[in-house]
């Protein structure tokens, strides 16, 4: 049973930083693509970043490029999202996701199968 548990959210002022973590269990973590999504109430969920099973290939949505970094530690079954230079428009619930793509693209643009419960990020101006 796939389980994904996010942590690290919180409140921060604009320009600050946060590091999100996602602890994975119940499957062979190193075989799976991983991704971060975010959602604002009343809006559709948006892909933020994703990463290949080995951590070599990453994808980012344009508004976060140069500010956010996705990474993974396959020895610890953990996914990370380092968020720097945060802006009020980054305020959202952030979700961790996993999917087995069997060598296909890990892009967040394609639907991910497994989801965590989310962690709230609030950036004040």
């Amino acid at each position: 049973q796939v389980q994904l548990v996010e942590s690290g959210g919180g409140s921060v002022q604009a320009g600050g930083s946060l590091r999100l973590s996602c602890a994975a269990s119940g499957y062979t973590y190193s075989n799976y693509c991983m991704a971060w999504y975010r959602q604002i109430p009343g809006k559709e969920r948006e892909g933020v970043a994703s990463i290949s099973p080995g951590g070599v290939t990453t994808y980012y949505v344009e508004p976060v490029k140069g500010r956010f970094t996705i990474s993974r530690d396959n020895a610890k079954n953990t996914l990370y999202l380092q968020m720097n230079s945060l802006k009020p428009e980054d305020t959202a619930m952030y979700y961790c996701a996993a999917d087995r793509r069997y060598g296909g693209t890990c892009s967040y643009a394609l639907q991910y199968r497994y989801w965590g419960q989310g962690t709230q990020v609030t950036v004040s101006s």
Side-chain angles (χ1 to χ4, degrees), residues 86-102:
L86 281 161
K87 303 176 181 180
E89 51 263 44
D90 295 319
T91 295
M93 183 72 78
Y94 283 72
Y95 297 91
C96 168
D99 197 19
R100 184 90 187 261
R101 298 281 173 91
Y102 298 95

Side-chain angles (χ1 to χ4, degrees), residues 5-118:
V5 180
E6 302 94 336
S7 61
S11 297
V12 64
Q13 289 198 326
S17 298
L18 283 173
R19 188 194 198 201
L20 305 184
S21 298
C22 172
S25 61
Y27 67 105
T28 305
Y29 177 74
S30 59
N31 287 344
Y32 279 61
C33 298
M34 298 295 297
W36 289 100
Y37 289 75
R38 63 187 180 187
Q39 188 169 25
I40 301 169
K43 292 196 173 183
E44 287 193 2
R45 188 164 49 197
E46 171 190 43
V48 175
S50 55
I51 189 168
S52 60
V56 173
T57 304
T58 56
Y59 306 81
Y60 295 94
V61 69
E62 191 63 37
V64 310
K65 285 181 179 178
R67 299 189 298 122
F68 290 10
T69 301
I70 188 171
S71 62
R72 63 192 296 163
D73 186 335
N74 285 351
K76 295 182 178 179
N77 287 3
T78 304
L79 177 73
Y80 303 100
L81 185 68
Q82 178 68 44
M83 304 186 295
N84 299 329
S85 302
L86 281 161
K87 303 176 181 180
E89 51 263 44
D90 295 319
T91 295
M93 183 72 78
Y94 283 72
Y95 297 91
C96 168
D99 197 19
R100 184 90 187 261
R101 298 281 173 91
Y102 298 95
T105 177
C106 291
S107 171
Y108 52 77
L110 299 179
Q111 180 67 34
Y112 270 64
R113 181 173 183 180
Y114 302 103
W115 297 86
Q117 294 300 305

